[in-house]
Amino acid sequence: MGIDRIKYRPWNGEKSSHFRRVYAISRKIFFQKMKSKGILAILIIGIILVHAFPILFGAVIPHEELTAEMMVGDNVLIGSYLKNGLSIIFILLLVSVACSDLIAQDLNDKSFVLYFSRPIKTLDYLTGKMGGVIGVISILTLVPLIVFCLVMIGTQTGDDYGSSLNILGKTIIAGILTTVFFISYGVMISSLTKKKTYAGVGIFISFFVLTTIGSFFTTFDQNWSLVSPTNLLFYSYDMIYGFDLPTDLNPNIFGVLFVCILFIPLVVTYFQVYRIEVGK
Amino acid sequence: MVQRKFRCPNCLGVETFSGKPGEVIHVTCPSCGAEGKVAFNNISSSIKSDQISSNYKINADNITVKFGRITALESFSVKIPEDVVGLLGPNGAGKSTFIKVVLGLLKPERGKIFLTDHRRPDNLTELRDLIGYMPEHDCLIESMNAFDLVSYMGQISGMLPKDAIRRSHEVLDFVGIGEVRYRSISSYSTGMKQRVKLAQAIVHDPEILFLDEPTNGMDPFGKKEMLSLISDIAKTGKTIVVCSHLLHEVEQICNYVVILNQGRLLKTGSMKEILSGEKGRYHLELRGKNKDLEKILDILGSKYEIVSADYVIGKLIVIIKNIDSSLELFNLIKKHDVQIRSYKPDKLILEDVFIQSFKGGSANGD
């Protein structure tokens, strides 16, 4: 085979910490995703179309300070930066492409056994995989938000930097929530099928199906609007920035649905992978 | 003062205690805090004596695993020595289940697995650090190249990136994957994939290596080379457990055999011991006239136990048991005008042992 076989030599190197093993998975996933032309295209186009203009306008239009209205309200100049339909479409596209093969590929290759014959558990595997993809999705969901806030703070005319930094902090929380919100859903769909195409399309379509169901039944009861993941996310932004829920919505239903859509996918994914790990 | 190792029945950790011969002392397990007594002649009360034999690497004690109504392993106890061990059995015998139990992927309903010198068998991370596994089926990440995969697996196994890179090149050279290591695995032949599977299993230099059908799908040259690779690894003193249906391969490289069926242990022992056959069991080849051969067969049958007799015109091959004196046998045959063409102790091959184990008897034909 070109190279003469050498004798087997034992290895006596230093063992790394458990954290580094999980980090190795995240790093691999991150760089693998960042090599994908599809993902790069979505990231570049998404940043230009969704974030570049607000950041540019934010820098040139005079403003006293960064306010919550600029982020989620109906600001006269920028509109609602976070509650932007186009942004959701790009995030959804990115999640569909980035998460589709995250677990589906391992199911297809049967490569779970390579991971689970090593010193990592189901939770480590999922943390590693999700960590990598969180890094990728954050480029669209978190980094531009921070840049926007910093630009707004840097160009503000007023002196109340404390208030602006408070909004920056809340924006970081909103960005993290958006990332986790979409990824937990995407990873669950990926763990349910061996075909990454099915997973990708499934993530995209299921969001629209839920949104359509929510819109259709809203005419009967406003609480149905919470079935739409997009609405649920937008209302959670309001909560983060200190706004109240609309009065016609039941906060308990909001709470239950929010917890369900954020955590049920994670629980389903965990047990799906665990089931595969033990070969059942 | 005497030093002895004891296993705590609560946390299963192994601790060393010192005491005078015949003395009974109160001890507290440093790992879990359980209290008990330890005696230095024999052990009483809550902490039982369980000195671990250094000859055994894996000790499976009374393992029972069930999948619903199907029992995969039933009261399965085996001691795997520090050697090259063949794990044999038909499909569904429980071989893979046993490996999964050792890897900690399956929790048995009953029983425990102990690894020698391993403090806590329940600590999965520590346990899997010691093990390398080469699965039978396709499991490689097809979109990666061999180098990336092996280095990635090394890092997950606890190697620092720089070490993993160096070691990956080393093990890929060892298994005979040259420049193709930079090509996508999806373009590899079955034989090359088998080599990569071996490379990923040994990248972190595990103490115990499980090889499930290592020569599966390989050409005769590839098979020979794979067996030679396994022998090379074995020279470093590792415990290698080889699961295979190809018994002649197992016979070639293994020094110890474990045969199981339907989740139960059928036979275990060193290869030499198992293949040595029974004392007083001989392979005898005779030539002569047909009527003389027929006559001698009757006489031999009346004096000894005949295991098998193959009669071809002018030639008789007999496996005989219970021969105390070869001279007596020779004289008997000489009287009947029959030539002895061959007379040797009947050596079994692993296939005989395997088949006879399934027939319910021992390999010795009992």
Side-chain angles (χ1 to χ4, degrees):
Chain A
M1 291 232 173
I3 293 175
D4 288 339
R5 182 155 72 80
I6 59 166
K7 289 287 166 201
Y8 183 80
R9 279 202 296 259
W11 176 74
N12 299 312
E14 185 193 339
K15 285 267 177 187
S16 65
S17 66
H18 190 70
F19 169 76
R20 283 204 71 119
R21 301 173 192 210
V22 178
Y23 172 66
I25 302 176
S26 292
R27 203 180 52 181
K28 189 83 201 168
I29 296 292
F30 179 78
F31 286 112
Q32 192 186 329
K33 298 289 171 198
M34 291 308 288
K35 280 182 193 166
S36 157
K37 285 175 190 164
I39 288 176
L40 283 175
I42 294 170
L43 280 174
I44 293 166
I45 298 170
I47 288 172
I48 292 171
L49 292 185
V50 180
H51 299 289
F53 294 112
I55 291 170
L56 207 64
F57 287 139
V60 294
I61 294 168
H63 54 278
E64 203 171 318
E65 62 186 24
L66 178 63
T67 61
E69 282 78 16
M70 287 176 180
M71 304 307 293
V72 289
D74 287 327
N75 188 279
V76 198
L77 302 170
I78 303 160
S80 176
Y81 181 48
L82 276 178
K83 291 183 178 178
N84 183 338
L86 190 63
S87 165
I88 295 295
I89 289 174
F90 271 98
I91 294 171
L92 205 50
L93 270 174
L94 184 63
V95 169
S96 300
V97 178
C99 289
S100 59
D101 63 346
L102 208 60
I103 294 173
Q105 192 69 49
D106 286 338
L107 275 170
N108 193 42
D109 292 339
K110 295 176 187 161
S111 50
F112 278 105
V113 71
L114 295 183
Y115 289 99
F116 295 126
S117 60
R118 293 184 148 74
I120 58 164
K121 295 177 187 169
T122 309
L123 202 58
D124 301 327
Y125 168 83
L126 285 175
T127 310
K129 289 262 177 177
M130 287 176 70
V133 89
I134 281 173
V136 176
I137 309 286
S138 297
I139 296 174
L140 196 61
T141 56
L142 182 61
V143 177
L145 304 189
I146 296 172
V147 172
F148 174 79
C149 289
L150 292 175
V151 167
M152 295 300 276
I153 294 168
T155 55
Q156 75 179 42
T157 53
D159 297 332
D160 193 0
Y161 284 100
S163 162
S164 297
L165 287 172
N166 181 29
I167 298 297
L168 170 66
K170 287 176 178 174
T171 305
I172 291 172
I173 295 170
I176 293 170
L177 174 74
T178 313
T179 314
V180 176
F181 186 87
F182 280 96
I183 287 176
S184 68
Y185 192 78
V187 172
M188 179 187 75
I189 302 284
S190 180
S191 73
L192 299 175
T193 174
K194 283 182 183 177
K195 301 211 171 185
K196 63 177 183 182
T197 321
Y198 291 177
V201 174
I203 294 165
F204 203 80
I205 297 295
S206 56
F207 253 76
F208 279 104
V209 169
L210 286 172
T211 305
T212 310
I213 292 170
S215 311
F216 182 77
F217 287 104
T218 305
T219 47
F220 305 109
D221 184 347
Q222 274 299 312
N223 286 311
W224 276 96
S225 68
L226 294 171
V227 171
S228 159
T230 314
N231 286 339
L232 203 62
L233 192 65
F234 286 174
Y235 290 135
S236 63
Y237 290 157
D238 287 341
M239 307 285 275
I240 290 169
Y241 286 100
F243 295 104
D244 291 331
L245 275 178
T247 48
D248 47 359
L249 290 179
N250 184 335
N252 295 330
I253 296 176
F254 169 79
V256 169
L257 282 175
F258 183 77
V259 169
C260 284
I261 206 154
L262 200 62
F263 294 107
I264 287 182
L266 291 175
V267 173
V268 169
T269 312
Y270 178 84
F271 283 103
Q272 180 72 357
V273 175
Y274 180 75
R275 201 174 60 85
I276 298 158
E277 180 195 344
V278 298
K280 286 188 177 174
Chain B
M1 293 288 270
V2 202
Q3 276 201 335
R4 283 185 71 175
K5 282 180 180 175
F6 297 94
R7 172 167 281 131
C8 169
N10 188 39
C11 69
L12 301 171
V14 178
E15 295 299 336
T16 307
F17 297 107
S18 309
K20 290 173 190 165
E23 191 187 15
V24 179
I25 59 167
H26 283 273
V27 292
T28 306
C29 174
S31 304
C32 69
E35 290 187 343
K37 285 178 187 172
V38 166
F40 286 85
N41 43 1
N42 49 21
I43 305 307
S44 65
S45 100
S46 58
I47 296 186
K48 290 176 188 170
S49 166
D50 193 3
Q51 272 196 296
I52 295 172
S53 160
S54 58
N55 297 328
Y56 293 101
K57 197 72 187 173
I58 305 166
N59 186 355
D61 183 22
N62 207 24
I63 303 288
T64 298
V65 178
K66 287 183 181 174
F67 297 112
R69 273 183 272 171
I70 299 162
T71 306
L73 284 176
E74 193 168 6
S75 304
F76 181 74
S77 297
V78 71
K79 287 179 177 179
I80 306 267
E82 288 181 0
D83 215 328
V84 187
V85 179
L87 190 60
L88 309 175
N91 294 332
K95 303 187 295 287
S96 299
T97 307
F98 174 65
I99 294 174
K100 280 181 181 172
V101 173
V102 179
L103 284 169
L105 295 175
L106 278 177
K107 264 203 163 170
E109 280 190 12
R110 216 173 46 229
K112 281 273 177 193
I113 296 273
F114 305 109
L115 299 189
T116 307
D117 302 330
H118 198 254
R119 281 172 54 84
R120 291 176 66 87
D122 291 336
N123 187 335
L124 267 180
T125 316
E126 253 182 65
L127 189 139
R128 289 185 190 166
D129 254 344
L130 307 173
I131 298 174
Y133 178 43
M134 175 184 177
E136 178 190 1
H137 55 76
D138 275 347
C139 61
L140 302 173
I141 303 169
E142 302 261 324
S143 55
M144 291 171 104
N145 64 45
F147 168 70
D148 279 346
L149 180 90
V150 175
S151 147
Y152 178 43
M153 289 300 144
Q155 288 179 53
I156 299 175
S157 298
M159 300 172 90
L160 295 168
K162 62 176 174 25
D163 288 345
I165 289 169
R166 199 183 308 136
R167 175 76 178 166
S168 304
H169 283 300
E170 200 175 296
V171 292
L172 285 168
D173 284 344
F174 171 70
V175 300
I177 296 285
E179 290 302 311
V180 284
R181 71 186 61 174
Y182 298 110
R183 238 169 55 192
S184 166
I185 289 172
S186 57
S187 67
Y188 285 10
S189 67
T190 312
M192 284 156 77
K193 285 181 181 172
Q194 288 296 102
R195 289 167 193 269
V196 178
K197 272 156 66 176
L198 178 66
Q200 65 78 29
I202 58 174
V203 64
H204 56 300
D205 190 35
E207 284 180 31
I208 303 165
L209 198 54
F210 283 100
L211 308 176
D212 204 346
E213 302 287 354
T215 58
N216 209 2
M218 296 182 96
D219 60 53
F221 294 112
K223 278 182 184 178
K224 201 176 166 191
E225 211 175 331
M226 178 61 84
L227 296 179
S228 132
L229 290 173
I230 297 169
S231 302
D232 270 4
I233 301 168
K235 280 176 196 161
T236 58
K238 293 192 190 313
T239 300
I240 304 179
V241 180
V242 182
C243 295
S244 179
H245 294 107
L246 302 170
L247 302 177
H248 62 279
E249 287 180 357
V250 172
E251 199 174 328
Q252 227 173 306
I253 55 168
C254 296
N255 299 321
Y256 197 89
V257 183
V258 175
I259 302 176
L260 65 160
N261 188 32
Q262 295 180 336
R264 288 170 182 274
L265 180 72
L266 287 186
K267 196 168 188 72
T268 178
S270 73
M271 187 72 80
K272 206 175 166 187
E273 195 181 283
I274 279 183
L275 299 184
S276 64
E278 194 185 358
K279 207 178 171 189
R281 181 178 158 124
Y282 285 86
H283 174 278
L284 181 65
E285 197 178 315
L286 304 171
R287 276 205 182 262
K289 289 177 186 163
N290 291 346
K291 58 173 186 173
D292 295 335
L293 290 175
E294 278 169 24
K295 199 172 171 188
I296 194 71
L297 185 60
D298 288 342
I299 294 165
L300 288 174
S302 64
K303 290 206 75 161
Y304 305 102
E305 190 181 330
I306 307 277
V307 176
S308 69
D310 288 327
Y311 179 77
V312 191
I313 300 166
K315 186 176 165 188
L316 179 67
I317 299 167
V318 203
I319 310 279
I320 312 178
K321 277 170 76 175
N322 307 334
I323 296 177
D324 297 326
S325 161
S326 296
L327 187 67
E328 192 185 315
L329 178 75
F330 291 165
N331 289 334
L332 184 71
I333 294 168
K334 199 177 166 187
K335 275 185 210 167
H336 292 87
D337 205 20
V338 172
Q339 287 179 356
I340 298 174
R341 288 297 179 95
S342 163
Y343 179 71
K344 59 187 179 188
D346 182 39
K347 195 173 179 297
L348 296 166
I349 58 166
L350 195 54
E351 206 167 313
D352 298 331
V353 179
F354 189 76
I355 291 167
Q356 285 175 30
S357 300
F358 284 88
K359 283 179 182 168
S362 81
N364 302 328
D366 295 340

